[in-house]
């Protein structure tokens, strides 16, 4: 599985981001491209300790999280139209250029942490290895870039 800590995968994601434009349409789902760019910031902010969703998962969501956990970083692509966690949904319109610049900065900040050994646990899924954190971030970005055809 590719990792956002890997230089080649990091560069690939940035090149795919560069292929997006304000007019890029999603191939599935309800988000517009600016909303997707904003949404993709949340997992990176969580990993970097810059965002903690207020909503704590209920016991059923925790159980589902344990079952879903390995799919966060394995090689199997996520299916189209997966539900989005309540605290990570974006329904209001977002400025494409601003959100793209913010996301690129977060991607670069995350990549710079490639040698970090200790990571805080994810608020919903618990502890991950550094390798798993890098794979999760790549996989989430890949999912949404595929959603927008890049």
């Amino acid at each position: 599985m590719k990792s956002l800590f890997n230089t080649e995968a990091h560069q690939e994601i940035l090149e795919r981001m560069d292929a997006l434009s304000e007019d890029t349409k999603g191939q599935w789902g309800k988000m517009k491209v600016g909303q997707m760019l904003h949404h993709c910031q949340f997992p990176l902010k969580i990993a970097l300790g810059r965002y903690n969703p207020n909503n704590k998962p209920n016991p059923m969501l925790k159980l589902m999280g344990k079952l879903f956990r390995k799919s966060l970083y394995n090689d199997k692509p996520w299916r189209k139209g997966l539900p989005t966690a309540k605290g990570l949904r974006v329904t209001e319109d977002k400025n494409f250029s601003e959100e793209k610049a913010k996301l690129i900065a977060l991607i670069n900040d995350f990549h710079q942490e490639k040698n970090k050994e200790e990571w805080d646990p994810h608020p919903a899924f618990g502890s991950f290895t550094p390798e798993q954190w890098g794979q999760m971030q790549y996989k989430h970005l890949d999912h949404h870039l595929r959603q927008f055809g890049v």
Side-chain angles (χ1 to χ4, degrees), residues 3-148:
S3 167
L4 199 54
F5 290 140
N6 176 274
T7 301
E8 292 80 18
H10 171 246
Q11 189 60 40
E12 171 206 321
I13 291 292
L14 294 177
E15 288 170 6
R16 290 167 68 187
M17 292 273 304
D18 196 45
L20 291 170
S21 74
E22 196 167 359
D23 299 323
T24 306
K25 303 284 186 229
Q27 298 178 358
W28 71 82
K30 298 177 183 175
M31 286 190 288
K32 297 176 184 171
V33 68
Q35 293 170 319
M36 177 273 289
L37 294 169
H38 186 80
H39 163 77
C40 285
Q41 295 171 38
F42 289 121
L44 290 158
K45 287 179 179 180
I46 289 170
L48 293 166
R50 299 178 190 173
Y51 178 75
N52 189 3
N54 293 336
N55 56 327
K56 299 290 182 205
N58 66 39
M60 183 58 132
L61 284 176
K62 280 189 173 188
L63 175 62
M64 287 177 59
K66 287 183 181 188
L67 298 172
F68 181 66
R69 185 181 157 89
K70 286 186 181 177
S71 72
L72 293 172
Y73 53 83
N74 67 16
D75 284 331
K76 186 177 178 186
W78 292 335
R79 66 176 172 82
K80 299 173 183 177
L82 286 173
T84 301
K86 190 176 186 178
L88 309 181
R89 292 182 190 144
V90 179
T91 55
E92 63 280 351
D93 285 340
K94 295 291 181 181
N95 179 285
F96 171 81
S97 298
E98 290 175 15
E99 298 303 329
K100 185 176 177 181
K102 288 178 190 176
L103 180 55
I104 289 170
L106 284 167
I107 290 168
N108 289 332
D109 289 352
F110 183 82
H111 179 71
Q112 290 302 313
E113 297 291 330
K114 62 186 165 204
N115 296 319
K116 184 176 176 179
E117 299 279 331
E118 296 291 321
W119 290 80
D120 290 337
H122 189 282
F125 300 111
S127 296
F128 292 100
T129 66
E131 180 181 29
Q132 290 167 339
W133 274 110
Q135 292 167 336
M136 286 190 306
Q137 298 304 326
Y138 176 88
K139 188 168 182 176
H140 184 250
L141 291 165
D142 174 67
H143 173 75
H144 286 292
L145 291 171
R146 284 187 298 108
Q147 177 186 11
F148 282 83

